[in-house]
Amino acid sequence: MNAFGRLFRVHVFGESHGASVGVNIDGVPAGLPLTVEDFLPDLERRKGGARGTTPRKEEDLPHLKSGVFNDHTTGAPITILFENNNTRSADYEKLRAFPRPGHADFVATEKFGGYEDYRGGGHFSGRLTLNLVAAGVIAKKLLGDTIHVTARITEVGGIADAAAGLEAAIAAKDSVGGIVECTVDGLPIGLGEPFFDSVESLIAHAVFAIPAVKGIEFGAGFAAAKMKGLEHNDAIIDASGKTATNNAGGIVGGITNGNPLVFRIAVKPTSSTPKEQNTLNIKSGEVETFSVKGRHDLCIALRVPVVLEAVTAMVLADLLLQVQRIPRIWK
Amino acid sequence: MNAFGRLFRVHVFGESHGASVGVNIDGVPAGLPLTVEDFLPDLERRKGGARGTTPRKEEDLPHLKSGVFNDHTTGAPITILFENNNTRSADYEKLRAFPRPGHADFVATEKFGGYEDYRGGGHFSGRLTLNLVAAGVIAKKLLGDTIHVTARITEVGGIADAAAGLEAAIAAKDSVGGIVECTVDGLPIGLGEPFFDSVESLIAHAVFAIPAVKGIEFGAGFAAAKMKGLEHNDAIIDASGKTATNNAGGIVGGITNGNPLVFRIAVKPTSSTPKEQNTLNIKSGEVETFSVKGRHDLCIALRVPVVLEAVTAMVLADLLLQVQRIPRIWK
Amino acid sequence: MNAFGRLFRVHVFGESHGASVGVNIDGVPAGLPLTVEDFLPDLERRKGGARGTTPRKEEDLPHLKSGVFNDHTTGAPITILFENNNTRSADYEKLRAFPRPGHADFVATEKFGGYEDYRGGGHFSGRLTLNLVAAGVIAKKLLGDTIHVTARITEVGGIADAAAGLEAAIAAKDSVGGIVECTVDGLPIGLGEPFFDSVESLIAHAVFAIPAVKGIEFGAGFAAAKMKGLEHNDAIIDASGKTATNNAGGIVGGITNGNPLVFRIAVKPTSSTPKEQNTLNIKSGEVETFSVKGRHDLCIALRVPVVLEAVTAMVLADLLLQVQRIPRIWK
Amino acid sequence: MNAFGRLFRVHVFGESHGASVGVNIDGVPAGLPLTVEDFLPDLERRKGGARGTTPRKEEDLPHLKSGVFNDHTTGAPITILFENNNTRSADYEKLRAFPRPGHADFVATEKFGGYEDYRGGGHFSGRLTLNLVAAGVIAKKLLGDTIHVTARITEVGGIADAAAGLEAAIAAKDSVGGIVECTVDGLPIGLGEPFFDSVESLIAHAVFAIPAVKGIEFGAGFAAAKMKGLEHNDAIIDASGKTATNNAGGIVGGITNGNPLVFRIAVKPTSSTPKEQNTLNIKSGEVETFSVKGRHDLCIALRVPVVLEAVTAMVLADLLLQVQRIPRIWK
């Protein structure tokens, strides 16, 4: 299934080099102002073109195919379509013999019996993060003026200065990974549930839907494993629940505690490195050297922040609907 | 909601000091041999009593209340109940003025309006991991003889030798966190889906249902963020999909690739440290010093491996059912 | 799966002659007053013992195993257990060669490979309607003082006077079917959605979970198929949405329109008729004559009204939660 | 939510006079041959144009926007779009003061606060049954060569001869209702579950998603309520489960029993009757006489059979996937 959410429910579809990619969002309250222009800033942030990102000029214009009328949501499911125009499928045809390391080529063929659309990663493509960003735009609107979701790169290739990290990668002519941190201010106390609907469970679920993410940690995260209890515990210091420290990252018992929600994710290096690589030639049955051609990001992590904000906002909008903090008719 | 899974669906319920804790498991194929004895080894592994774990002698005997007949599953939902007998609720009554740092006391009262069962953590209690372990026993049986899920402590309080880490904590009279690693051998290629049903999404979702988990990483995980593409990419070396390295932790594009599934989780220090702590006295409105009395684990991570195996097996059993690798009538 | 509901979610389990039957209800707001006594009137209504119903004295005492504390709901999942004590399994052992017409014996063996608990219908038993009634008690409380769900027998064996219909069946020494009508007053406008979440879809889904139900019709129902548009259309006559007639049964476009919700269900005759019947002897392979012994209702429809109210209340409580007409903390 | 299904999951979207209507179908196995041509026969059957149906020439060409590659399904979600070109929205603007009896106008405004797309019924429009038919085409393919779903009109306006019934309506210048019967041959034993996943529950749920349906009955249905047990029970006569009669309509205990699945639905008269009607003028606050203009079917039931087949096939495909009778890679 390609869907997520209980009351704010997002379904993604599409292929990199097929007719389109798109998203269907169900459960959006009626009356929310919404126009194509609302999507453009976040879609722009996601776009390639900057140094270290792909020069592919994508047609990223969202087409609102349902659920919007007179520039407001109607309460019916919203469908947003992005047409695919600027594709060079021939690039991929000749690569079929070489299942690209780090990509889904090999597993997709096993799983779908060779019927998968293999061009440009097909349904596995990072191009489908357009859908997540679009859903996130709506989710962010539902969060209102007091809740802010902000993600930023904190490390590229192990270097805290992202620009320097990227330069090092360019110099090395290899792709690199990175760390992205997300912070949410203004959340009420009480979102989430113990166990399977913990905020950590839901955010982690959504975050690992972003291609290339390989780790997530909340608050002190992995560092917490090395800490003592007295050091890690966040003392509550006032009746609003404010804590002296925030090692919990704003979540206790799976539930938001009114302090900033803080988490970090690890993004692996772009699998399509410019370097020559070894992999199996499935036709010859031999391990051979090959190169990924095409247009690729050197550091995909650079394009992740806006996607990370989007999936985080999706989870939070759903939880806010569940605790009735977002009305069913927008005011 | 307190449920998880699409075809192998687990619902947990109960409170630490209420009548019982229990679990309802729907979707188990008919004909699987199942007796009370099957549960005892994993329940024993989870139990307190060892050095650094709680001396509370819990009544951990599973009562099979439905779904089992003539020592086999029937195809109907299975309910397993654990009665609570050995509780000292009075310990908690006097603590109500002090919402314990790291615990859900404060957020639960906000979320449930003071109606929550606050005794011993109530529905948030680690005692409910009994339910997860019980569900995991059934899930492991469904994985069969060729798939093995193994979790082990790799670090206590920052020390790779778990025993030494625990001794350091005992000496410091403080609780400590730890790292648990899980490995799964024998998985077929093709479990999981891109995006929201990625194996990482599903496992992370389930894993963060375990109290005290604050981070998860797959394969190279956070280290991947510091790597270059050529270093991180796992070259495919034969037609079975075997890779030269396993930085991906056995998952590419959200889908198992036939190599061992490997991930690690960070467990925070037990919130109930023996140390004196500061927290708000909600009656006086002042920050005061208090101590958590009662019987607690110094390092809860030590009890996590069997729980981690359980939730991992739950996810995998569900995915194997989805790709029809587990039959609906067990043979 | 044995569950239903989005925000008010009910899971049933158990077998007629196993250890117990029970129900787990997730999504109940915290703070709702709830004691064992609340269940007794509706459980009493469901009970056998009256003329035409089974003389089996069931132990129908609900055990609240989780989710209730200090006589209020806690917001955690509620588990209610009914132990099975008064069972005569031997009655059923000898019948195994004869899959009873109208019962699930034959299909259960095919579906579950012979592993099903066949005693007294096992998991298919009408005894599991105890679970529905118990869930309905909680649902009705959530509907509050202004919404009333009332079901009543309108026909037994084709006779509008239920008592006369029953007497006719007793005289004929055969079981009979019946019609039950349900009316709900006081519903707000706007519950339900077009298409898959129409009120008709959800109620019909829940209603066919009651064993022996074979038809449902809303408002004019099947009579509508014979009507002309002008006759069938309900003219709106005031700003509250009140209509001159109620052929729609209170639902237009899948959504409640503020008029009474009205629907009827057809209940088939009890399959366990006292008459001799023909069926396959699966051991001999011949069609043979046999009799169902044991204790059975002559007209199961007589026990259905309280079950019908229960599943209707379940659906409505869920829908009211979805439109935020029931608060997450009960007041 | 506008979705249905567990493993074969259908999401509908769109508005009658908006940009488009469409459907997203998740869970379709990879490798199923699928082209635009496959949809045309059933879409043609649904189309208006025959006597008694709307003369509106709709653009009913399906656009396959995702999930299909090289004329086969890929295993990724399939999106099918129908553009709306031939709309006369002005017809509806002037009607806004008169919430049409039988239509969702009034409830939609209450539910969605006036933000709904009111043109031509908006998201409530029967035009969205295009989506159901399209999903049904795929579902029918999955049912294969041995399972046949056939629906036909059995009554128009109370007359068994549909043509005569329609002529009577034309003569009376009023719309009429009808009965549609659906039969499915070739089903295996064992689809469905007791209680909430009974075949009756699932089919009824799906069927009431079709606008204008007000009743459903399986097998003998409402007539069963007037029958005695001996008369109603279907004696099993051979080891394949074949029964002497089929009053159960092929379902016992919620589960298919290998006999033909048979059910009937009641379709109300088209709400848009040519007759003058009374309704509230919401501007004047008075009940006034008005006429529905526009292009409408006199007997919508005539267009329902193909839609009924579609939703039935959807349910069955899902259940067949659940019991692993449809492979995950089509062969």
mmCIF file of all heavy atoms in Angstrom, chain B residues 60 190 209:
data_model
loop_
_atom_site.group_PDB
_atom_site.id
_atom_site.type_symbol
_atom_site.label_atom_id
_atom_site.label_comp_id
_atom_site.label_asym_id
_atom_site.label_seq_id
_atom_site.Cartn_x
_atom_site.Cartn_y
_atom_site.Cartn_z
ATOM 1 N N ASP B 60 3.891 -13.988 35.135
ATOM 2 C CA ASP B 60 3.989 -13.840 33.687
ATOM 3 C C ASP B 60 3.429 -15.038 32.940
ATOM 4 O O ASP B 60 3.842 -15.335 31.818
ATOM 5 C CB ASP B 60 5.455 -13.623 33.285
ATOM 6 C CG ASP B 60 5.954 -12.261 33.717
ATOM 7 O OD1 ASP B 60 5.141 -11.453 34.215
ATOM 8 O OD2 ASP B 60 7.150 -11.999 33.537
ATOM 9 N N GLY B 190 12.358 -9.096 -1.550
ATOM 10 C CA GLY B 190 11.078 -8.572 -2.019
ATOM 11 C C GLY B 190 10.054 -8.229 -0.961
ATOM 12 O O GLY B 190 8.928 -7.849 -1.298
ATOM 13 N N ALA B 209 7.413 1.586 19.330
ATOM 14 C CA ALA B 209 6.357 1.208 20.278
ATOM 15 C C ALA B 209 6.945 0.631 21.563
ATOM 16 O O ALA B 209 6.238 0.499 22.563
ATOM 17 C CB ALA B 209 5.409 0.192 19.634
#
